């Protein structure tokens, strides 16, 4: 229970930091402002985080956890499009989830121009790549250390990152979601292209 409270507090601070970073910029946002927004002391803030930039990490880490969990549940006999569509259709839609999604989108856009945030963003995708190597290896019945598997994982991760950045930038620029087409279909198609068709289709159970 104590660990859960700790993680919830870190995530709450992270969401507020994301909002402040977006509204004022990272350089213009102080640790004191973040602490005040959450209702904790600056001393307490530094017990949770090593510096203000690291406040963005829990939001990005939670995004990775969700992404990895979704990919781990990908049934062998189901295509990537169908699996992602099923997840998107049944994903809980509530104000708390929307707040989390908004924070991730903001951090994704800011990471393009903020080096410290960029480092955290790229580290999250390094973890996704490692997890994808295991998932792809299982689907292809090959070793996760196989060079082809690693290349497929790297290519698929790059697709996820680039499309996430593109969609996030469009949304924060005011684009209507309907105008973005079907990002999930686009993502699944791009994964197939990037991996030469090796990843994306159903495989034998």
């Amino acid at each position: 229970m104590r660990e859960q409270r700790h993680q919830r507090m870190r995530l709450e601070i992270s969401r507020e930091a994301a909002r402040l970073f977006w509204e004022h910029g990272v350089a213009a946002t102080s640790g004191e402002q973040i602490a005040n927004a959450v209702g904790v002391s600056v001393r307490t803030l530094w017990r949770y985080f090593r510096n203000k930039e690291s406040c963005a990490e829990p939001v990005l880490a939670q995004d990775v956890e969700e992404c990895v969990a979704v990919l781990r549940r990908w049934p062998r006999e189901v295509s990537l499009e169908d699996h992602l569509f099923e997840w998107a259709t049944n994903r809980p839609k509530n104000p708390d989830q929307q707040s989390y999604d908004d924070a991730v989108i903001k951090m994704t856009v800011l990471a393009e121009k903020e080096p410290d945030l960029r480092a955290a963003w790229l580290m999250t995708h390094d973890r996704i790549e490692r997890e994808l190597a295991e998932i792809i290896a299982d689907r292809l019945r090959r070793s996760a250390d196989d060079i082809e598997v690693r290349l497929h994982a790297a290519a698929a991760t790059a697709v996820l990152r680039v499309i996430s950045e593109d969609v996030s930038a469009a949304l924060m620029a005011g684009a209507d979601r309907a105008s973005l087409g079907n990002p999930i279909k686009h993502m699944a198609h791009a994964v197939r292209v990037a991996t030469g068709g090796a990843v994306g289709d159903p495989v034998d159970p």
Side-chain angles (χ1 to χ4, degrees):
M1 289 296 292
R2 185 174 182 179
E3 179 61 24
Q4 289 178 344
R5 287 196 298 270
H6 179 83
Q7 293 303 323
R8 281 198 299 270
M9 176 56 73
R10 279 178 54 84
L11 188 56
E12 182 180 351
I13 293 171
S14 190
R15 289 177 179 175
E16 284 300 318
R19 180 182 64 80
L20 291 169
F21 288 161
W22 180 258
E23 292 178 358
H24 307 294
V26 176
T29 300
S30 67
E32 184 176 6
Q33 287 173 304
I34 296 171
N36 288 340
V38 183
V40 300
S41 69
V42 175
R43 184 177 178 181
T44 297
L45 177 70
W46 300 139
R47 283 208 300 267
Y48 284 100
F49 296 97
R50 62 187 181 278
N51 54 45
K52 67 179 182 181
E53 291 82 6
S54 67
C55 290
E57 292 173 1
V59 161
L60 296 175
Q62 184 168 330
D63 186 51
V64 170
E65 290 293 342
E66 181 177 31
C67 180
V68 168
V70 169
L71 292 171
R72 282 177 180 156
R73 295 195 302 269
W74 181 14
R76 295 179 60 81
E77 68 278 9
V78 175
S79 70
L80 184 57
E81 288 100 328
D82 288 346
H83 178 60
L84 293 179
F85 179 78
E86 189 276 335
W87 162 74
T89 300
N90 297 307
R91 190 174 185 239
K93 295 178 175 62
N94 54 62
D96 188 60
Q97 185 64 51
Q98 186 60 53
S99 173
Y100 152 63
D101 288 345
D102 289 345
V104 172
I105 289 170
K106 290 172 180 175
M107 291 301 92
T108 299
V109 175
L110 278 181
E112 280 289 307
K113 55 185 179 181
E114 297 284 353
D116 289 321
L117 298 184
R118 186 68 177 173
W121 173 242
L122 293 176
M123 283 301 295
T124 63
H125 283 78
D126 179 72
R127 180 176 170 195
I128 290 174
E129 181 179 327
R130 293 172 186 274
E131 296 284 350
L132 260 175
E134 296 286 345
I135 293 164
I136 292 170
D138 177 69
R139 293 184 74 82
L140 301 182
R141 301 192 188 285
R142 296 167 75 170
S143 167
D145 294 326
D146 185 293
I147 186 61
E148 292 298 324
V149 168
R150 292 177 60 196
L151 288 171
H152 292 330
T157 303
V159 164
L160 298 177
R161 178 180 58 78
V162 170
I163 292 180
S164 293
E165 291 172 349
D166 185 68
V167 170
S168 295
L171 290 173
M172 295 314 298
D176 182 83
R177 288 182 181 272
S179 70
L180 299 177
N182 189 331
I184 285 179
K185 185 176 181 179
H186 183 197
M187 192 174 289
H189 174 72
V191 166
R192 274 199 185 83
V193 172
T195 61
V199 179
D201 290 330
V203 295
D204 292 335

